[in-house]
Amino acid sequence: MSDVMAVVLAAGKSQRMKSELPKVLHEVCGRSMVDHVLIAARAAGAKKIVVVVGHKAEEVQAALEHQEDVHFALQEEQLGTGHAVMCCREHLAGHEGPVLVLTGDTPLLRGESLSALIDEMNQLQAACVVGTAKTENNKGLGRIVRDEQQRFLRIVEEKDASEDEKKITEINTGCFAFDGPSLVSALDDVKPNNVQGEYYLTDCAEILRTRGKTVAAACRLDIAEAMGVNTQEQLAEVEKVMKQRMQ
């Protein structure tokens, strides 16, 4: 089996942090948030990590460029998560193994959870495995839509969700394991057909499923691992959870 590659999305700007420091460089227990994500990716077997930079790209790159396994892709315009991965095409070209796609503001990710997604992908010979978690506090999160046999159908973002879909408690954590060639192929068909007018990475899963590829949603993460940080209050909450883990 080919080596694992990880793509870490770290291009966004978060005005809600009310800080000049790029969001992913804020520290949790002495390490930047994005560093925690890189550690989890390596623990899951990633040999090459591509960090997508955009807002204050130079600062993020300067903080990480000393790490030999880290490479960079520039997203000049923030046009969505799918667009961010499109910016990695030169790194993805020819990669035959698994690709983890992660977000740089989820410092509570565990390597064993990411390994479980890759294991699931290999066992099912899947083109994509969506990492999910269960929570009643699902406001603002993408919902996992399944059919009557509980097979994955699609991910629907809250702004695009029906009232029934908004009641779903299984959510997208933002962690994906893709077969490399399948990911590259699916990106060609992603269109900004949504309320935001953005290219959603989540559409890749549905595209691959409609092509007859195996796509699974695996509830292998706990909700803490999906906690993205957008405010100073959320940063404090994540730090609290991290300290509890360390103790």
Side-chain angles (χ1 to χ4, degrees):
M1 187 185 74
S2 300
D3 287 339
V4 177
M5 181 190 299
V7 171
V8 179
L9 310 185
K13 179 180 181 180
S14 180
Q15 294 177 325
R16 292 162 62 195
M17 289 296 288
K18 298 179 180 177
S19 170
E20 290 300 310
L21 186 69
K23 180 173 72 166
V24 298
L25 297 186
H26 281 80
E27 291 192 352
V28 177
C29 295
R31 284 186 182 272
S32 68
M33 289 198 287
V34 69
D35 249 332
H36 286 290
V37 176
L38 302 188
I39 290 167
R42 292 184 187 109
K47 303 299 184 189
K48 178 178 181 179
I49 301 173
V50 182
V51 177
V52 183
V53 295
H55 174 63
K56 295 197 172 181
E58 299 84 0
E59 287 186 44
V60 178
Q61 198 160 332
L64 301 175
E65 62 187 359
H66 64 284
Q67 303 183 43
E68 291 184 2
D69 57 352
V70 174
H71 306 257
F72 298 96
L74 178 63
Q75 185 187 22
E76 292 187 8
E77 288 186 272
Q78 275 74 67
L79 300 177
T81 51
H83 179 256
V85 181
M86 291 174 189
C87 296
C88 301
R89 283 187 182 278
E90 66 176 286
H91 296 284
L92 293 168
H95 179 74
E96 299 291 329
V99 178
L100 288 168
V101 182
L102 313 170
T103 55
D105 64 352
T106 51
L108 295 174
L109 279 179
R110 299 176 191 263
E112 55 263 39
S113 300
L114 302 181
S115 292
L117 298 184
I118 295 171
D119 290 345
E120 186 106 2
M121 191 182 82
N122 291 332
Q123 288 167 13
L124 298 175
Q125 295 186 311
C128 171
V129 175
V130 183
T132 75
K134 293 282 186 75
T135 180
E136 296 293 331
N137 186 21
N138 60 3
K139 185 174 176 57
L141 302 172
R143 313 304 204 273
I144 302 299
V145 181
R146 296 180 181 269
D147 66 14
E148 292 178 356
Q149 285 75 45
Q150 293 303 300
R151 293 174 300 202
F152 172 83
L153 285 178
R154 65 186 179 277
I155 302 164
V156 61
E157 300 301 325
E158 180 163 285
K159 291 178 181 178
D160 304 306
S162 68
E163 289 306 310
D164 282 342
E165 288 169 340
K166 287 178 181 177
K167 296 174 185 175
I168 295 171
T169 58
E170 186 180 14
I171 59 95
N172 170 33
T173 63
C175 300
F176 299 83
F178 285 97
D179 164 66
S182 297
L183 172 59
V184 171
S185 174
L187 287 169
D188 291 335
D189 285 350
V190 175
K191 302 291 188 290
N193 302 326
N194 52 71
V195 173
Q196 298 291 88
E198 294 185 347
Y199 296 85
Y200 289 163
L201 177 67
T202 49
D203 288 349
C204 287
E206 188 176 358
I207 288 165
L208 291 169
R209 184 188 65 79
T210 56
R211 289 180 182 175
K213 301 278 190 179
T214 299
V215 177
C219 194
R220 296 298 189 94
L221 293 89
D222 63 48
I223 192 60
E225 292 177 276
M227 286 173 63
V229 175
N230 289 300
T231 66
Q232 294 290 341
E233 291 76 18
Q234 290 171 341
L235 185 67
E237 179 63 24
V238 163
E239 175 117 4
K240 180 180 174 183
V241 175
M242 182 78 75
K243 285 179 177 176
Q244 288 171 346
R245 279 188 186 176
M246 293 167 71
Q247 290 168 358

